[in-house]
Amino acid sequence: MEELLKINNLDVKFDTDEGRITAVENISLSVKQGEVLGIVGESGSGKSVTAKAIMQLNPGNTIYNDDAEIIIDGENVIKFTSKEDLMKIRGGKVSMIFQEPMASFAPAIKIGDQMVEQLLLHKNIKKDEAKTISLDMLTRVGITDTEKRFNQYAFELSGGMRQRAMIAMALSTMPKLLLADEPTTALDVTIQAQVLKLMKDIIKEYKMGVIFITHDLGVIAQTADQIAVMYLGCVVEKGPVNEILKNPKHPYTKGLIAALPDVNNLEAPLKPIPGNIPSPLERPTGCVFRTRCPHPTKEGKEGKIDMKLVEVEPGHWVDQCGAKCG
Amino acid sequence: MSDNLISVNNVCVNFDYQENFISKKQKIHAVQNINIKIKKGSFFGLVGESGSGKTTLGRAILGANKISSGNVIFHDDDKDYDLTTISKDELKEYRKKAQLIFQDPYAALSPRMTVRDIIAEPLEVMKITKNKQETDERVREIASKCRLNLEHLRRFPHAFSGGQRQRISIARALVSSPKFIVADESVAALDVSIQADILNLLKNLRKELNLTYLFISHDLSVVAHVCDVVAVMYLGHIVELAPSKELFNNPKHSYTKALLSSIPSIDPEKQSKAIELTGEIPSAMNPPSGCVFKTRCPNPGHDCKGGDIEMGLIEVSPGHWVDQCCVISK
Ligand SMILES: Nc1ncnc2c1ncn2[C@@H]1O[C@H](COP(=O)(O)OP(=O)(O)OP(=O)(O)O)[C@@H](O)[C@H]1O
Ligand SMILES: Nc1ncnc2c1ncn2[C@@H]1O[C@H](COP(=O)(O)OP(=O)(O)OP(=O)(O)O)[C@@H](O)[C@H]1O
Ligand code: SF4
Ligand SMILES: [Mg+2]
Ligand SMILES: [Mg+2]
């Protein structure tokens, strides 16, 4: 199937009082039509920053490298500057479900008005049509009393309802590419299952491409086709989701899987990956994971192996340093 | 002296809803008739449906939400605080003893303040320390307990990862030496490894600082590992309450069973055993009579549909409480 999104060699840096922070370093990812790419990784690994780069939503102190490409429908959107061009991606071809639903609703405007306004902006439809679509979407994400919720403000909804309203709003414009940043973290598992099913149906029906960001490997296993594991701004492993979860090669991916709480053994202690994530101001040279690697090779530990993905099985890519250690 | 730190007695919290200023006022029944006791030193878990009233209940216990009826009592060593009759001065005292750890470590920390100032702020606002030196000492002490590097104190929050920021918010919540902590989805946004790390930290601090927690979470596998007792909420009601091992091994309520079966797993086989719920999620403005779960229940008993059996917990085995409808109707 056709490639909808292609990210090539993207770096994202931020200028701050304390110096330049590297949030994302040299990542390349792609999403086909109808495909779900799951991104997992530690807090601060650069998942949200990557998604925001696609929408060109990172703040003014952001610096992209000159040779970075983010290609959607054949156009390099990273070079977009005009308002018209940006409108084509934001809410048009691309929709985003934000990690903080509170931040994505204007506090003083009713939920319904925001949904309608967004539809009117991007679709050639009338107001009552927009309202019908919005109410229908709210129902489909499992919200009841939709007419009433429509007239409420974001702060009046519970965390999970806000998140579902956000999902409804993002799906209502039927984007080609959906960026979902932790879309179901605030939902209880039964509603999560319901919402995931709805998302999968809509993705299939409209052949959307999706980037699904979550720290929940169980959710990834249920929804994604491909997975990319990020650590400190780098992709350390990527490939088909079943292959990676069954046969992880990178010590970080292995650590994440081992840290999953075991519901069948409540006595077992929780097993975090030892050590702390370095501050983005103190990125290790060479393999970014080497300060926490349980069984590093000698060269790896000394930072002598540069980061570079190598293909270990067809479609299964691992950072070359991580592929060598235990 | 009571073994309990908190008693919640028949608490209801309602919010008013008005479509526009000419229409009739309606009530959202966010929390209905809740009775719980939180033992000193325990890790009390609260799980449940989104919108079921967990945050509202947590805020009510902290005195941050008005209680519509019933009362909440905080049993301190030397005196009881009744939150329904509490005076302004007492409320100030209470705020030092009961703290909230925010859900979102990104939004909760002001980007313009150094980590030291963020942690010190409660001390200064509540006038707990007398001078800057005392404040600094206290900040350093709590920071190292939360495994923050002292050199980090001069930095601004953006230089930290989510896990470290979460530790900063924990340090901020703990700096006033509270006895009771409400952690509302405090680890939801963190990856499993950091979650485990922070939960271990909370567990250790509980012993070290004599803390009691109300731990609100969607993640049942996490709750199972850290909590002593778990209450399951649905649409404003507690439908089941039991020691966590008992709840996980022997769930009685149909909603609890559905919840436990739906925990996402990386094992596709387990996934297929999830009990799928269908049916309308009822509204908190117009809850159904009788069992509030009946509109989505996969296996309602004969008497459930009638809705004549009022909601209320009964004890089915020591410490294991289940909504009576679910017991009687079967
Ligand atoms: N505007 C900014 N200025 C400076 N640093 C920033 C800015 N935005 C993000 N960062 C830094 O970039 C890094 C990546 O952040 P990002 O939000 O992408 O993490 P994430 O992977 O989404 O984490 P989480 O799972 O916690 O949401 C972090 O170290 C963060 O502190
Ligand atoms: N300030 C408010 N005004 C009106 N209604 C409110 C307000 N705060 C909460 N509610 C309503 O009370 C009910 C319970 O909300 P609450 O936030 O306690 O749920 P929750 O269990 O924490 O859900 P979640 O898991 O989604 O965070 C919801 O119906 C919500 O819309
Ligand atoms: S009381 Fe009846 S309807 Fe309610 S959960 Fe139990 S069996 Fe289902
Ligand atoms: Mg993020
Ligand atoms: Mg909540």
Side-chain angles (χ1 to χ4, degrees), chain A residues 215-276:
Chain A
H215 64 261
D216 191 331
L217 289 171
V219 168
I220 287 271
Q222 270 179 67
T223 30
D225 306 302
Q226 299 281 321
I227 179 175
V229 182
M230 286 184 74
Y231 183 81
L232 214 64
C234 299
V235 172
V236 296
E237 185 157 12
K238 66 177 181 182
V241 69
N242 293 330
E243 159 73 11
I244 305 276
L245 292 179
K246 246 192 261 142
N247 193 12
K249 295 279 188 232
H250 197 277
Y252 179 61
T253 317
K254 289 182 193 167
L256 281 183
I257 293 173
L260 285 173
D262 181 359
V263 273
N264 297 316
N265 182 4
L266 298 183
E267 304 295 337
L270 297 167
K271 289 191 293 274
I273 300 171
N276 287 322

Side-chain angles (χ1 to χ4, degrees), chain B residues 22-269:
Chain B
I22 41 173
S23 63
K24 217 174 80 210
K25 259 199 191 142
Q26 282 175 295
K27 276 201 165 64
I28 296 174
H29 305 272
V31 162
Q32 295 206 60
N33 219 5
I34 300 287
N35 288 290
I36 49 176
K37 305 234 179 289
I38 303 179
K39 267 223 182 91
K40 283 190 180 138
S42 68
F43 224 122
F44 191 102
L46 195 55
V47 300
E49 173 98 343
S50 147
S52 60
K54 303 180 296 296
T55 299
T56 306
L57 179 60
R59 288 172 54 90
I61 296 176
L62 289 175
N65 251 359
K66 237 180 74 202
I67 298 168
S68 307
S69 63
N71 68 2
V72 173
I73 298 175
F74 179 85
H75 309 280
D76 204 356
D77 295 337
D78 44 5
K79 76 182 211 198
D80 284 359
Y81 294 81
D82 181 337
L83 294 195
T84 35
T85 56
I86 199 164
S87 69
K88 263 205 175 132
D89 287 344
E90 276 184 325
L91 191 61
K92 268 193 200 146
E93 269 172 50
Y94 179 59
R95 291 259 153 85
K96 291 179 202 165
K97 297 174 198 250
Q99 283 282 334
L100 178 71
I101 301 177
F102 287 98
Q103 173 172 1
D104 182 351
Y106 286 74
L109 307 178
S110 161
R112 276 171 239 292
M113 285 164 79
T114 62
V115 171
R116 182 259 170 214
D117 290 348
I118 288 170
I119 300 175
E121 193 179 43
L123 294 176
E124 282 152 7
V125 172
M126 297 184 214
K127 301 197 174 62
I128 292 170
T129 42
K130 285 181 212 76
N131 50 45
K132 184 164 176 299
Q133 193 193 345
E134 208 180 304
T135 307
D136 279 334
E137 260 165 44
R138 179 76 192 130
V139 169
R140 278 202 293 270
E141 183 190 0
I142 203 74
S144 66
K145 281 214 170 74
C146 296
R147 296 211 283 107
L148 287 164
N149 230 320
L150 293 186
E151 78 198 52
H152 288 168
L153 292 175
R154 282 183 297 121
R155 294 203 183 144
F156 292 88
H158 63 70
F160 293 92
S161 71
Q164 287 166 322
R165 286 179 212 210
Q166 195 54 271
R167 281 191 226 136
I168 298 169
S169 14
I170 292 173
R172 182 182 154 96
L174 295 179
V175 75
S176 60
S177 310
K179 297 189 163 160
F180 177 60
I181 297 279
V182 176
D184 190 356
E185 301 284 356
S186 305
V187 294
L190 303 176
D191 69 286
V192 281
S193 166
I194 300 186
Q195 273 190 22
D197 189 40
I198 294 210
L199 292 167
N200 287 339
L201 172 71
L202 291 177
K203 269 184 154 173
N204 294 339
L205 290 173
R206 162 167 72 161
K207 284 187 211 132
E208 216 176 305
L209 306 175
N210 257 327
L211 288 166
T212 304
Y213 294 102
L214 175 65
F215 187 80
I216 303 176
S217 176
H218 289 289
D219 194 330
L220 290 143
S221 42
V222 164
V223 168
H225 277 267
V226 300
C227 295
D228 311 309
V229 181
V230 180
V232 182
M233 278 186 86
Y234 191 87
L235 209 70
H237 292 270
I238 289 180
V239 294
E240 186 158 8
L241 182 142
S244 54
K245 243 174 266 154
E246 166 75 5
L247 189 88
F248 278 79
N249 297 329
N250 194 14
K252 294 278 187 231
H253 196 276
S254 304
Y255 176 62
T256 315
K257 288 181 191 167
L259 266 186
L260 293 178
S261 78
S262 314
I263 298 175
S265 160
I266 60 170
D267 178 356
E269 226 160 81

Side-chain angles (χ1 to χ4, degrees), chain A residues 104-125:
Chain A
S104 45
F105 284 110
I109 308 175
K110 290 176 178 170
I111 301 272
D113 292 344
Q114 298 192 48
M115 292 186 75
V116 167
E117 193 178 314
Q118 205 214 339
L119 274 167
L120 294 179
L121 207 59
H122 296 288
K123 301 264 137 157
N124 194 6
I125 51 174

Side-chain angles (χ1 to χ4, degrees), chain A residues 62-97:
Chain A
T62 315
I63 297 154
Y64 298 109
N65 50 322
D66 283 336
D67 56 342
E69 291 182 318
I70 299 180
I71 297 177
I72 301 175
D73 263 358
E75 285 185 287
N76 188 6
V77 304
I78 209 164
K79 299 283 184 256
F80 281 3
T81 45
S82 76
K83 227 178 157 186
E84 294 82 62
D85 277 345
L86 288 172
M87 276 282 289
K88 276 198 295 196
I89 36 177
R90 290 182 197 158
K93 281 180 190 165
V94 192
S95 255
M96 181 150 175
I97 299 169

Side-chain angles (χ1 to χ4, degrees), chain A residues 14 16 23 43-49 59 61 99 280, chain B residues 106 158 160 165:
Chain A
F14 294 108
T16 71
S43 305
S45 58
K47 306 182 297 292
S48 299
V49 164
N61 63 339
Q99 193 169 5
Chain B
Y106 286 74
H158 63 70
F160 293 92
R165 286 179 212 210

